[in-house]
Amino acid sequence: MNTIRVARLLQAAFFFSLLCFGLFAYLHPGVDLRYYYGAALLVRRGGNPHDYAQLAPVLKEISGFTGTIIPYFYPPWYCLFFIPMTFLPFQAARLLWIVLNLGLFYVSLEWLWEVLDWRIERWFRWVAFIFASILFGYACLVSENSGFVLLFGLALTLRGIRRNQPILTGLGLILALTKPQATLMMVLCLAVWMIRRKPAALGWGAAWAAGLLGAATVAIPRWWQFDYSGFGQGLTYALNGPETIAGIRVAATIYDWLKFTFGICGSAQITIVAVIGLLGIGLVALVWKRYDNPAYLAAASIILTLLLTPYALQYDYVPLTLAFLLTLKHLPDLKPLPRAAAILPLVLSVLVLFLAKMQYQATWILLFVSVSFAVAVLAKTSFSTQGGVPAAEDGGESLRSSERQYNPRS
């Protein structure tokens, strides 16, 4: 069987897997779209989605129960994108949201592949996409969360940098910041990287932020005025209405991983997290020094954010797709021992999907992907081509021509 036929079969397998994931997500509904849909519906009615006392009755109206994960912690402008969905019945809106997420995921993968300038047999491209969908896409799709929006924002940012499109780069930064607990360090590091190289993109990012916030203020007058008492309880407790605690929340964070896996709490936990944080900072610094490249910098800083964040669930790991793809790209350049050291954690991360029963156990995926990425990008000894650095328009891969595209004075 020739490689073209193999590539077509794997491409069909990828899209078939997305279709199956989407169907399963629709038949086994998550709860997060109910949250977005309810917030947007409340805005249509003149309410404030950040006020859980106003939001809870709308959630009950939509689905028959009040309980939600957390109060509306998203930026006030985010619910504006969901207002058109509220003109559809809720189940039709769910179907539309699933289709949109699948589209965002596929487009993001294609754009990241373009940014990485990965010249390899097409069949392996579809293998990488299939594993990315299993490792990061499935959990987010089933939960109906916004992880694909974060990945799309990341891909749009990097593609905008590559193509010198500051307007789209700025928009990508703002979309990636939709859930800052998962992407804050990445956005900050890219912003610092852009200060000298792409200052116009930062200006457009500020313009997009101001415009979206202004639109939200028009749609939700005084959105900042609501009862703040107990607002942060949703990060620690599962709520069943305002001031009604249904249980303790367990997150996919280092903190809960240490607590529930090893029973480590208090000062010992803080010390271990500090050490892990320093290792993450070291990874960002080494990657920045060795590659000076936005794709590598984004991957390393996403890892740092997720290692330190006090609140994240498995569906927030979708942006790790970039680190996963970069790891795969570097494997052929590694010597046998580091290659094995990079592959083994990736294999273990896939096994976690089938073995993990609680959210805190998903943290193993973050740790395994982080180790694989660190080994792959730091153990590489050949730098004839740098993954993630844009190639010249004529397809050349010389470092000199690539660097010129990042020089704003070129």
Side-chain angles (χ1 to χ4, degrees):
M1 186 179 295
N2 59 44
T3 57
I4 296 178
R5 184 172 298 178
V6 171
R8 288 175 178 172
L9 287 174
L10 289 170
Q11 181 181 15
F14 168 70
F15 286 111
F16 180 72
S17 67
L18 292 187
L19 179 63
C20 291
F21 291 164
L23 179 61
F24 187 85
Y26 188 75
L27 296 177
H28 300 79
V31 296
D32 290 350
L33 179 65
R34 186 182 73 104
Y35 180 49
Y36 309 143
Y37 184 98
L41 184 59
L42 181 58
V43 171
R44 275 186 56 197
R45 296 174 178 177
N48 183 353
H50 295 289
D51 187 346
Y52 192 32
Q54 296 182 44
L55 181 60
V58 178
L59 296 174
K60 186 172 184 178
E61 173 189 338
I62 293 170
S63 57
F65 63 96
T66 300
T68 185
I69 296 177
I70 53 176
Y72 194 77
F73 285 127
Y74 289 80
W77 50 261
Y78 190 57
C79 63
L80 302 184
F81 294 119
F82 293 87
I83 289 178
M85 284 190 186
T86 62
F87 292 95
L88 297 174
F90 179 60
Q91 292 304 318
R94 286 190 58 242
L95 181 60
L96 176 60
W97 179 237
I98 290 171
V99 172
L100 285 174
N101 277 324
L102 291 175
L104 288 175
F105 187 50
Y106 174 63
V107 169
S108 300
L109 290 174
E110 289 285 0
W111 286 359
L112 289 177
W113 195 272
E114 174 189 329
V115 167
L116 300 185
D117 194 32
W118 194 349
R119 300 173 188 276
I120 199 170
E121 293 287 348
R122 286 183 63 85
W123 68 266
F124 189 78
R125 168 187 181 176
W126 298 112
V127 170
F129 284 8
I130 289 171
F131 273 94
S133 66
I134 294 172
L135 194 55
F136 305 111
Y138 175 73
C140 185
L141 191 66
V142 171
S143 68
E144 301 177 356
N145 201 262
S146 297
F148 298 114
V149 176
L150 303 182
L151 184 65
F152 179 77
L154 169 61
L156 182 61
T157 300
L158 296 177
R159 188 172 185 260
I161 293 173
R162 174 183 171 87
R163 296 193 170 198
N164 196 26
Q165 298 171 326
I167 297 176
L168 296 180
T169 303
L171 177 60
L173 281 176
I174 299 306
L175 291 177
L177 202 55
T178 300
K179 299 185 73 173
Q181 72 270 24
T183 58
L184 180 60
M185 295 294 184
M186 181 269 288
V187 172
L188 290 177
C189 286
L190 286 181
V192 173
W193 186 90
M194 291 179 193
I195 288 175
R196 291 179 55 193
R197 297 167 178 85
K198 301 290 182 181
L202 285 181
W204 275 106
W208 278 111
L212 289 170
L213 192 59
T217 303
V218 171
I220 318 168
R222 302 183 182 278
W223 53 264
W224 59 88
Q225 292 186 353
F226 58 93
D227 184 7
Y228 288 88
S229 59
F231 186 67
Q233 279 188 330
L235 297 177
T236 307
Y237 303 103
L239 304 178
N240 189 28
E243 301 181 1
T244 304
I245 297 175
I248 297 176
R249 288 185 57 75
V250 178
T253 63
I254 293 294
Y255 310 92
D256 281 354
W257 175 73
L258 289 171
K259 178 180 179 180
F260 294 105
T261 304
F262 305 104
I264 299 175
C265 301
S267 58
Q269 183 186 96
I270 295 174
T271 301
I272 294 174
V273 171
V275 171
I276 292 175
L278 290 174
L279 291 174
I281 293 172
L283 175 63
V284 172
L286 288 172
V287 165
W288 197 329
K289 180 179 180 180
R290 175 170 288 194
Y291 295 93
D292 191 26
N293 177 281
Y296 286 80
L297 179 59
S301 52
I302 286 169
I303 288 173
L304 175 61
T305 306
L306 291 173
L307 286 174
L308 294 180
T309 184
Y311 179 76
L313 296 175
Q314 186 177 350
Y315 49 62
D316 293 317
Y317 290 174
V318 179
L320 285 174
T321 301
L322 175 60
F324 172 74
L325 293 178
L326 277 170
T327 301
L328 294 182
K329 180 181 170 94
H330 277 263
L331 290 180
D333 299 321
L334 301 179
K335 293 181 178 179
L337 184 58
R339 183 184 302 143
I343 291 175
L344 179 59
L346 290 183
V347 174
L348 294 175
S349 66
V350 174
L351 293 178
V352 172
L353 294 175
F354 301 96
L355 299 176
K357 303 299 182 182
M358 302 293 292
Q359 274 291 332
Y360 70 89
Q361 294 171 324
T363 309
W364 286 109
I365 297 175
L366 167 63
L367 295 173
F368 287 143
V369 172
S370 301
V371 170
S372 291
F373 173 79
V375 171
V377 300
L378 297 181
K380 182 178 178 181
T381 56
S382 172
F383 291 90
S384 58
T385 61
Q386 289 198 352
V389 179
E393 292 298 325
D394 62 358
E397 293 196 35
S398 70
L399 178 58
R400 184 178 299 277
S401 64
S402 298
E403 287 177 333
R404 281 201 299 268
Q405 293 195 35
Y406 278 154
N407 188 343
R409 294 171 292 184
S410 300

